[in-house]
């Protein structure tokens, strides 16, 4: 039996369905090890190089028409090494660090068995779509690495579209792919700026914010319709939304996961 008023659910990928942050930390650890063991960097230098790269990634502005993502990210490592150790640029070392970081991160991007089961069951009652921002090559590699394709009716990568989240156009494109209307859809993601703001911009039925710590910022903006601590809590939330729809209750207010679980009589799960 389907859910009343919900025909499709859009999922973000990074730090929503897969723990990209944890995979990234494992990758950095590997690079630090090789910088120390093979290239005689002391521990402080190795950490400084990796910290500089992560800062560059956060500020990264990539135009695929001008430079490929691989060249850009090797340059991040090259600059970080030179800024830390001085001397001439070492492109070969930078490339080795980049490919070790990239390969290790991909190896640790996994869709857990619990998440696979949740998606399989959910897809029996609603249509599912994966909606991720980012460079098309990078995101497609992540999608391949975690083998999530079979669980979705469609996959949309922001880097392959004219606009990314939070632009309404990419959400409306997703709706067109599934043959649904915005007010039939729910967006689930960890980013207030892209996932939640985008879902609000596009006029979706509801937005669900994955807030793993459940620690609320002083001024939460934009305001999501619902907050859960793990994507595994989504089925209970959707059932709760269904009950509210049937009872003609308002759905435009935030609901904390404890409220959902009180209604569903199940325990909270932390990822």
């Amino acid at each position: 039996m389907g859910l009343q008023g919900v025909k499709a659910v859009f999922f973000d990928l990074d730090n929503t369905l897969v723990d990209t942050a944890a995979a990234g930390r494992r990758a950095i650890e590997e690079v630090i090890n090789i910088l120390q063991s093979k290239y005689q960097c002391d521990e402080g230098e190795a950490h400084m190089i990796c910290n500089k790269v992560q800062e560059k990634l956060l500020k990264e502005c990539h135009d695929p028409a001008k430079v490929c993502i691989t060249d850009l990210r090797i340059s991040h490592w090259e600059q970080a090494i030179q800024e830390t150790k001085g001397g001439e640029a070492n492109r070969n070392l930078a490339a080795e660090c980049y490919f070790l970081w990239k390969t290790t991160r991909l190896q640790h991007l996994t869709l857990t068995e619990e998440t696979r089961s949740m998606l399989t069951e959910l897809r029996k009652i609603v249509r599912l779509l994966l909606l991720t921002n980012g460079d098309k090559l990078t995101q497609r590699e992540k999608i391949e690495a975690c083998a999530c394709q079979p669980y979705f009716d469609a996959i949309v990568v922001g880097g392959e579209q004219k606009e990314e989240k939070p632009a309404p156009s990419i959400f409306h494109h997703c709706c067109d792919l599934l043959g649904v209307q915005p007010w039939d859809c729910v967006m689930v993601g960890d980013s207030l700026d892209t996932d939640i703001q985008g879902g609000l911009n596009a006029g979706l039925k509801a937005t669900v914010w994955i807030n793993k710590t459940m620690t609320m910022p002083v001024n939460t903006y934009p305001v999501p319709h619902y907050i859960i601590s793990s994507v595994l809590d989504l089925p209970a939330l959707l059932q709760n939304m269904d009950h509210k729809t049937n009872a003609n209750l308002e759905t435009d207010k935030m609901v904390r996961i404890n409220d959902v679980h009180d209604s569903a009589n199940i325990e909270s799960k932390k990822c």
Side-chain angles (χ1 to χ4, degrees):
M1 182 179 294
L3 297 171
Q4 292 290 332
V6 178
K7 296 181 180 178
V9 179
F10 302 163
F11 286 92
D12 173 54
L13 177 65
D14 294 301
N15 300 310
T16 296
L17 290 176
V18 296
D19 196 343
T20 310
R25 289 192 293 271
R26 294 290 296 273
I28 288 295
E29 289 172 4
E30 290 296 316
V31 176
I32 288 173
N33 288 337
I34 198 171
L35 284 171
Q36 290 183 263
S37 63
K38 186 176 177 180
Y39 292 102
Q40 292 75 53
C41 286
D42 62 40
E43 185 177 0
E45 287 178 331
H47 279 278
M48 185 176 293
I49 289 168
C50 291
N51 288 340
K52 286 180 178 291
V53 168
Q54 292 181 91
E55 290 173 4
K56 294 176 189 297
L57 288 170
L58 288 174
K59 298 175 182 177
E60 185 175 80
C61 184
H62 176 229
D63 183 350
K66 295 180 179 179
V67 62
C68 76
I69 193 69
T70 297
D71 287 340
L72 177 62
R73 290 189 170 174
I74 290 175
S75 293
H76 292 337
W77 285 97
E78 186 176 20
Q79 292 164 12
I81 293 167
Q82 191 172 24
E83 289 167 4
T84 301
K85 294 185 67 67
E88 295 184 2
N90 191 333
R91 188 75 175 179
N92 290 336
L93 173 57
E96 184 175 352
C97 290
Y98 166 68
F99 284 112
L100 176 61
W101 171 81
K102 173 184 171 179
T103 301
T104 305
R105 187 170 74 146
L106 289 174
Q107 288 173 344
H108 288 91
L109 280 181
T110 58
L111 202 61
T112 67
E113 193 59 43
E114 294 84 358
T115 302
R116 293 176 188 271
S117 296
M118 183 270 293
L119 292 172
T120 298
E121 292 303 309
L122 196 56
R123 198 176 176 196
K124 294 177 181 178
I125 57 175
V126 292
R127 306 199 74 188
L128 303 184
L129 181 142
L130 182 65
L131 174 56
T132 176
N133 274 2
D135 171 74
K136 61 182 181 180
L137 174 62
T138 301
Q139 296 310 102
R140 288 291 175 182
E141 287 175 336
K142 290 178 185 175
I143 290 164
E144 185 72 25
C146 67
C148 64
Q149 303 95 318
Y151 300 94
F152 293 95
D153 296 289
I155 293 175
V156 176
V157 176
E160 297 172 350
Q161 305 298 316
K162 291 181 179 179
E163 295 181 296
E164 295 189 307
K165 297 179 288 186
S169 63
I170 195 168
F171 288 88
H172 295 158
H173 172 65
C174 293
C175 292
D176 291 342
L177 286 177
L178 298 185
V180 295
Q181 298 298 324
W183 51 85
D184 298 325
C185 304
V186 174
M187 178 68 211
V188 182
D190 71 301
S191 171
L192 289 172
D193 292 335
T194 59
D195 301 316
I196 303 308
Q197 186 64 65
L200 295 172
N201 291 345
L204 301 194
K205 176 182 178 65
T207 55
V208 181
W209 183 35
I210 306 292
N211 180 8
K212 294 181 180 180
T213 66
M214 291 306 288
T215 300
M216 296 300 297
V218 176
N219 295 309
T220 301
Y221 185 84
V223 178
H225 294 88
Y226 302 94
I227 305 171
I228 56 179
S229 62
S230 165
V231 72
L232 299 178
D233 294 315
L234 183 66
L237 173 59
L238 292 174
Q239 289 294 335
N240 184 261
M241 289 169 58
D242 189 21
H243 297 156
K244 287 189 172 189
T245 299
N246 291 337
N248 293 318
L249 296 177
E250 295 181 354
T251 60
D252 61 346
K253 58 185 177 182
M254 287 196 295
V255 175
R256 294 181 181 275
I257 190 59
N258 287 340
D259 298 329
V260 174
H261 285 180
D262 288 342
S263 166
N265 194 30
I266 62 176
E267 293 183 356
S268 178
K269 301 175 183 177
K270 299 287 184 181
C271 64

